[in-house]
């Protein structure tokens, strides 16, 4: 997934208030492209060359475009959850245009809204919804399952299953095979980069180090840089090598 392809998706999302059809694995393809470009940056002898900087700028643009697409599509999905919760009409075709992760987000949010409505408006017993990050997840039987079927009316909710009642497990939906991310430079374990403590002698534009981090240097800063980057900057009298970090 090239930068131009991602920008085309972003433009389409900006031009309409509805979700557009996208490849279910476009995020994975975007990350694979990022990994491939980053690998090329590692291969440059001079990471501050024009070619290297051009590739670095491209990685930053890809990341920014992916974030913008996520932001736009998420806002549209949130609007759909509100219309669903209020029982208003919405185009079910938009739900079909969600990629699997977005559909999961939609289902979780609508279920949470329905649960809160039941407690706050219909005076049902309150059952906390706990995310896995903050504690054990609540069993599915404890919350109302929200479904949007192709035949059912918009906003139709399925009844919660009785506790202890076994429900038929939904058939696993076949999704696209994950796109393998480009491998990092040679080595089976994580890549480590020897670092050097330096003092910055003059301001410098933002750049990506060989460790994949983005650095912005200002005169007077004392920072740790990968040795390879520090060596090039020392030769150009941009930084002063102070000490070697083990």
């Amino acid at each position: 997934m090239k930068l131009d392809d991602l920008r085309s998706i972003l433009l389409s999302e900006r031009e309409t208030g509805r979700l557009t059809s996208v490849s279910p694995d476009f995020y994975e393809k975007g990350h694979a492209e990022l990994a491939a470009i980053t690998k090329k940056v590692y291969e440059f002898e001079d990471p501050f060359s024009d070619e290297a900087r051009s590739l670095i700028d491209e990685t930053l643009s890809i990341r920014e475009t992916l974030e913008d697409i996520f932001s736009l599509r998420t806002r549209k999905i949130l609007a759909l959850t509100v219309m669903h919760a209020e029982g208003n009409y919405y185009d079910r075709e938009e739900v079909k245009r969600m990629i699997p992760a977005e559909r999961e987000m939609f289902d979780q949010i609508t279920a949470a809204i329905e649960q809160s409505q039941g407690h706050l408006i219909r005076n049902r017993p309150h059952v906390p919804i706990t995310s896995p990050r903050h504690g054990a997840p609540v069993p599915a039987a404890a919350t109302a399952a929200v479904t949007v079927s192709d035949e059912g009316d918009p906003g139709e909710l399925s009844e919660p299953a009785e506790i202890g009642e076994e429900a038929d497990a939904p058939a696993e939906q076949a999704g696209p095979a994950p796109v393998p991310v480009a491998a990092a430079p040679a080595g089976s374990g994580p890549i480590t980069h020897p670092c050097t403590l330096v003092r910055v002698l003059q301001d410098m534009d933002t750049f990506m180090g060989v460790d994949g981090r983005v650095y912005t240097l200002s005169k007077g800063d004392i920072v740790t840089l990968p040795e390879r980057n520090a060596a090039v900057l020392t030769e150009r009298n941009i930084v002063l090598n102070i000490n070697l970090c083990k």
Side-chain angles (χ1 to χ4, degrees), residues 28-101:
E28 288 85 351
K29 289 180 177 178
H31 291 301
E33 179 69 6
L34 274 175
I37 296 175
T38 301
K39 183 179 179 181
K40 291 180 181 178
V41 173
Y42 289 153
E43 294 170 354
F44 280 102
E45 288 297 329
D46 182 0
F48 302 104
S49 64
D50 291 342
E51 295 87 350
R53 292 197 62 82
S54 177
L55 290 178
I56 290 169
D57 290 341
E58 186 174 354
T59 64
L60 296 177
S61 295
I62 290 176
R63 287 193 179 98
E64 183 179 344
T65 304
L66 284 172
E67 290 173 0
D68 288 344
I69 293 173
F70 175 82
S71 179
L72 281 172
R73 290 182 66 86
T74 299
R75 288 194 190 102
K76 294 176 184 180
I77 292 170
L78 290 175
L80 289 172
T81 63
V82 173
M83 288 188 285
H84 181 102
E86 293 176 349
N88 295 329
Y89 171 80
Y90 63 91
D91 187 355
R92 285 175 293 168
E93 289 300 315
E94 286 201 75
V95 177
K96 295 179 183 178
R97 295 189 197 111
M98 297 177 190
I99 63 177

Side-chain angles (χ1 to χ4, degrees), residues 205-218:
D205 293 336
T206 299
F207 67 93
M208 180 188 291
V210 296
D211 56 356
R213 296 181 180 179
V214 177
Y215 295 89
T216 301
L217 305 182
S218 300

